[in-house]
Amino acid sequence: MKFCKTFNTDNDCFNYLTDIKWENGFQCPKCNHTGWCKTKLNHIRKCNRCKHKTSATAGTLFHKVKFPIQQAFMIVFLVSSSRKGISSTELQRRLGLRQKTCYNFKRKVMASMYAQNQQSPALEGRIDVDEFFIGGPAKGKPGRSKGSKKEVVMGVEMKKKGIFRCFAKHIANGGTKELRPFFTQCISKEAKIRTDKWRGYRPLQSTYKNLWQEESKPDSNFRLFHRQVMMLKAWLRGIHHSVKQIQPYLDEFVFRYNQRADVTIFDKLVNAMMNEKPLYIKNLNLYWGS
């Protein structure tokens, strides 16, 4: 109710974006001049030198949105605040937009989540790391699920008796060449890392001195890690049913989990979308390197 009251009209949304974009003053994207004058629309400013007009959404992930900006805000709000997330089909039902429109814009929201994850500090302290498969037929139950299996590596940071943060990445295989970039980007070299006895982790011990390996027993030593994996799989099956490109959904799961206690998650996402360059539909898959 508070959200609907705050962003009751498109003009309320544009004013919010205007305050974010020009918080530190106006600068013309054409000539870098700082002088400007108003136009008929409050979110569009005109450069005093070159007369170029620029809007608050230009050069951001809100660039050239083809539907009302209030509905775009609602998509960001529902994606960030829904307890278990929301699918593009459910967004279509609630907002009256085409499913493909909701899907494409949600992918832009997920791109801002990816950018936020990239800027997050590395996992530190006690870390559990393992790789697992998503998709494909369940063991002993052929035909239960469709599609090829996708391998994922996940690291979870432990604090007290639970999982504090996590990161996950889609990998082509469990070899050291695929695992090393994940470790480099997501895990501190001083962290105390525990993995199973998979040989792909062995060469990493030269860089990560506190990495040790032990036999994986899901009901004892890796219990919390495997519970996190089950949460991820249940979320994918329950909300999205099936996905072709797994990394954007891993980014959403990680962002939402790591920010679960933050009441300003909507504001963070909008600010992140304002700081990202425009992302066109044809480039959505390329954004995640595939």
PDB file of all heavy atoms in Angstrom, residues 254-267:
ATOM      1  N   VAL A 254      20.709 -15.480  -5.650  1.00  0.00           N
ATOM      2  CA  VAL A 254      21.802 -15.012  -4.787  1.00  0.00           C
ATOM      3  C   VAL A 254      21.501 -13.612  -4.266  1.00  0.00           C
ATOM      4  O   VAL A 254      21.656 -13.330  -3.073  1.00  0.00           O
ATOM      5  CB  VAL A 254      23.134 -15.036  -5.564  1.00  0.00           C
ATOM      6  CG1 VAL A 254      24.212 -14.235  -4.832  1.00  0.00           C
ATOM      7  CG2 VAL A 254      23.599 -16.470  -5.773  1.00  0.00           C
ATOM      8  N   PHE A 255      21.074 -12.715  -5.170  1.00  0.00           N
ATOM      9  CA  PHE A 255      20.801 -11.333  -4.750  1.00  0.00           C
ATOM     10  C   PHE A 255      19.686 -11.289  -3.716  1.00  0.00           C
ATOM     11  O   PHE A 255      19.807 -10.642  -2.677  1.00  0.00           O
ATOM     12  CB  PHE A 255      20.423 -10.487  -5.962  1.00  0.00           C
ATOM     13  CG  PHE A 255      20.068  -9.064  -5.617  1.00  0.00           C
ATOM     14  CD1 PHE A 255      21.059  -8.112  -5.431  1.00  0.00           C
ATOM     15  CD2 PHE A 255      18.739  -8.676  -5.456  1.00  0.00           C
ATOM     16  CE1 PHE A 255      20.733  -6.802  -5.097  1.00  0.00           C
ATOM     17  CE2 PHE A 255      18.410  -7.387  -5.122  1.00  0.00           C
ATOM     18  CZ  PHE A 255      19.411  -6.439  -4.939  1.00  0.00           C
ATOM     19  N   ARG A 256      18.594 -11.991  -3.993  1.00  0.00           N
ATOM     20  CA  ARG A 256      17.452 -11.965  -3.083  1.00  0.00           C
ATOM     21  C   ARG A 256      17.813 -12.592  -1.725  1.00  0.00           C
ATOM     22  O   ARG A 256      17.385 -12.112  -0.689  1.00  0.00           O
ATOM     23  CB  ARG A 256      16.257 -12.691  -3.709  1.00  0.00           C
ATOM     24  CG  ARG A 256      15.567 -11.900  -4.816  1.00  0.00           C
ATOM     25  CD  ARG A 256      14.635 -12.780  -5.639  1.00  0.00           C
ATOM     26  NE  ARG A 256      13.766 -13.574  -4.801  1.00  0.00           N
ATOM     27  CZ  ARG A 256      12.651 -13.120  -4.228  1.00  0.00           C
ATOM     28  NH1 ARG A 256      12.271 -11.873  -4.424  1.00  0.00           N
ATOM     29  NH2 ARG A 256      11.913 -13.905  -3.475  1.00  0.00           N
ATOM     30  N   TYR A 257      18.606 -13.662  -1.746  1.00  0.00           N
ATOM     31  CA  TYR A 257      19.001 -14.305  -0.484  1.00  0.00           C
ATOM     32  C   TYR A 257      19.932 -13.408   0.319  1.00  0.00           C
ATOM     33  O   TYR A 257      19.753 -13.225   1.523  1.00  0.00           O
ATOM     34  CB  TYR A 257      19.668 -15.652  -0.748  1.00  0.00           C
ATOM     35  CG  TYR A 257      19.962 -16.406   0.530  1.00  0.00           C
ATOM     36  CD1 TYR A 257      18.981 -17.184   1.135  1.00  0.00           C
ATOM     37  CD2 TYR A 257      21.206 -16.311   1.151  1.00  0.00           C
ATOM     38  CE1 TYR A 257      19.230 -17.857   2.329  1.00  0.00           C
ATOM     39  CE2 TYR A 257      21.465 -16.967   2.338  1.00  0.00           C
ATOM     40  CZ  TYR A 257      20.469 -17.743   2.920  1.00  0.00           C
ATOM     41  OH  TYR A 257      20.729 -18.399   4.109  1.00  0.00           O
ATOM     42  N   ASN A 258      20.931 -12.838  -0.332  1.00  0.00           N
ATOM     43  CA  ASN A 258      21.909 -12.012   0.370  1.00  0.00           C
ATOM     44  C   ASN A 258      21.309 -10.704   0.886  1.00  0.00           C
ATOM     45  O   ASN A 258      21.815 -10.120   1.844  1.00  0.00           O
ATOM     46  CB  ASN A 258      23.103 -11.719  -0.535  1.00  0.00           C
ATOM     47  CG  ASN A 258      23.923 -12.966  -0.840  1.00  0.00           C
ATOM     48  OD1 ASN A 258      23.735 -14.014  -0.223  1.00  0.00           O
ATOM     49  ND2 ASN A 258      24.821 -12.867  -1.802  1.00  0.00           N
ATOM     50  N   GLN A 259      20.233 -10.236   0.241  1.00  0.00           N
ATOM     51  CA  GLN A 259      19.592  -8.985   0.643  1.00  0.00           C
ATOM     52  C   GLN A 259      18.271  -9.228   1.380  1.00  0.00           C
ATOM     53  O   GLN A 259      17.450  -8.317   1.495  1.00  0.00           O
ATOM     54  CB  GLN A 259      19.315  -8.133  -0.609  1.00  0.00           C
ATOM     55  CG  GLN A 259      20.508  -7.847  -1.480  1.00  0.00           C
ATOM     56  CD  GLN A 259      21.508  -6.920  -0.829  1.00  0.00           C
ATOM     57  OE1 GLN A 259      21.149  -6.103   0.007  1.00  0.00           O
ATOM     58  NE2 GLN A 259      22.765  -7.028  -1.209  1.00  0.00           N
ATOM     59  N   ARG A 260      18.066 -10.437   1.876  1.00  0.00           N
ATOM     60  CA  ARG A 260      16.760 -10.821   2.428  1.00  0.00           C
ATOM     61  C   ARG A 260      16.331  -9.973   3.624  1.00  0.00           C
ATOM     62  O   ARG A 260      15.133  -9.833   3.907  1.00  0.00           O
ATOM     63  CB  ARG A 260      16.770 -12.302   2.818  1.00  0.00           C
ATOM     64  CG  ARG A 260      17.762 -12.668   3.918  1.00  0.00           C
ATOM     65  CD  ARG A 260      17.951 -14.171   3.992  1.00  0.00           C
ATOM     66  NE  ARG A 260      18.899 -14.579   5.034  1.00  0.00           N
ATOM     67  CZ  ARG A 260      20.214 -14.536   4.880  1.00  0.00           C
ATOM     68  NH1 ARG A 260      20.741 -14.110   3.742  1.00  0.00           N
ATOM     69  NH2 ARG A 260      21.008 -14.929   5.860  1.00  0.00           N
ATOM     70  N   ALA A 261      17.275  -9.399   4.349  1.00  0.00           N
ATOM     71  CA  ALA A 261      16.930  -8.608   5.533  1.00  0.00           C
ATOM     72  C   ALA A 261      16.932  -7.109   5.252  1.00  0.00           C
ATOM     73  O   ALA A 261      16.694  -6.298   6.161  1.00  0.00           O
ATOM     74  CB  ALA A 261      17.885  -8.929   6.681  1.00  0.00           C
ATOM     75  N   ASP A 262      17.180  -6.715   4.019  1.00  0.00           N
ATOM     76  CA  ASP A 262      17.291  -5.302   3.659  1.00  0.00           C
ATOM     77  C   ASP A 262      15.927  -4.772   3.209  1.00  0.00           C
ATOM     78  O   ASP A 262      15.365  -5.243   2.218  1.00  0.00           O
ATOM     79  CB  ASP A 262      18.319  -5.132   2.536  1.00  0.00           C
ATOM     80  CG  ASP A 262      18.701  -3.679   2.323  1.00  0.00           C
ATOM     81  OD1 ASP A 262      17.974  -2.786   2.801  1.00  0.00           O
ATOM     82  OD2 ASP A 262      19.729  -3.423   1.669  1.00  0.00           O
ATOM     83  N   VAL A 263      15.398  -3.782   3.919  1.00  0.00           N
ATOM     84  CA  VAL A 263      14.083  -3.228   3.572  1.00  0.00           C
ATOM     85  C   VAL A 263      14.170  -2.229   2.416  1.00  0.00           C
ATOM     86  O   VAL A 263      13.147  -1.785   1.909  1.00  0.00           O
ATOM     87  CB  VAL A 263      13.439  -2.544   4.803  1.00  0.00           C
ATOM     88  CG1 VAL A 263      13.166  -3.557   5.892  1.00  0.00           C
ATOM     89  CG2 VAL A 263      14.329  -1.411   5.324  1.00  0.00           C
ATOM     90  N   THR A 264      15.393  -1.868   1.994  1.00  0.00           N
ATOM     91  CA  THR A 264      15.558  -0.903   0.899  1.00  0.00           C
ATOM     92  C   THR A 264      15.924  -1.606  -0.408  1.00  0.00           C
ATOM     93  O   THR A 264      16.525  -1.000  -1.289  1.00  0.00           O
ATOM     94  CB  THR A 264      16.640   0.136   1.247  1.00  0.00           C
ATOM     95  OG1 THR A 264      17.913  -0.533   1.366  1.00  0.00           O
ATOM     96  CG2 THR A 264      16.321   0.837   2.558  1.00  0.00           C
ATOM     97  N   ILE A 265      15.566  -2.879  -0.539  1.00  0.00           N
ATOM     98  CA  ILE A 265      15.974  -3.653  -1.705  1.00  0.00           C
ATOM     99  C   ILE A 265      15.417  -3.055  -3.003  1.00  0.00           C
ATOM    100  O   ILE A 265      16.091  -3.047  -4.031  1.00  0.00           O
ATOM    101  CB  ILE A 265      15.556  -5.129  -1.549  1.00  0.00           C
ATOM    102  CG1 ILE A 265      16.126  -5.974  -2.686  1.00  0.00           C
ATOM    103  CG2 ILE A 265      14.053  -5.276  -1.432  1.00  0.00           C
ATOM    104  CD1 ILE A 265      15.936  -7.469  -2.480  1.00  0.00           C
ATOM    105  N   PHE A 266      14.197  -2.519  -2.977  1.00  0.00           N
ATOM    106  CA  PHE A 266      13.621  -1.894  -4.175  1.00  0.00           C
ATOM    107  C   PHE A 266      14.447  -0.689  -4.596  1.00  0.00           C
ATOM    108  O   PHE A 266      14.784  -0.525  -5.772  1.00  0.00           O
ATOM    109  CB  PHE A 266      12.169  -1.480  -3.909  1.00  0.00           C
ATOM    110  CG  PHE A 266      11.596  -0.585  -4.980  1.00  0.00           C
ATOM    111  CD1 PHE A 266      11.134  -1.119  -6.179  1.00  0.00           C
ATOM    112  CD2 PHE A 266      11.526   0.793  -4.811  1.00  0.00           C
ATOM    113  CE1 PHE A 266      10.625  -0.306  -7.176  1.00  0.00           C
ATOM    114  CE2 PHE A 266      11.017   1.619  -5.795  1.00  0.00           C
ATOM    115  CZ  PHE A 266      10.557   1.063  -6.983  1.00  0.00           C
ATOM    116  N   ASP A 267      14.788   0.167  -3.633  1.00  0.00           N
ATOM    117  CA  ASP A 267      15.584   1.363  -3.953  1.00  0.00           C
ATOM    118  C   ASP A 267      16.958   0.976  -4.495  1.00  0.00           C
ATOM    119  O   ASP A 267      17.473   1.618  -5.412  1.00  0.00           O
ATOM    120  CB  ASP A 267      15.742   2.232  -2.699  1.00  0.00           C
ATOM    121  CG  ASP A 267      14.405   2.638  -2.113  1.00  0.00           C
ATOM    122  OD1 ASP A 267      13.781   3.562  -2.655  1.00  0.00           O
ATOM    123  OD2 ASP A 267      13.982   2.021  -1.128  1.00  0.00           O
TER     124      ASP A 267
END
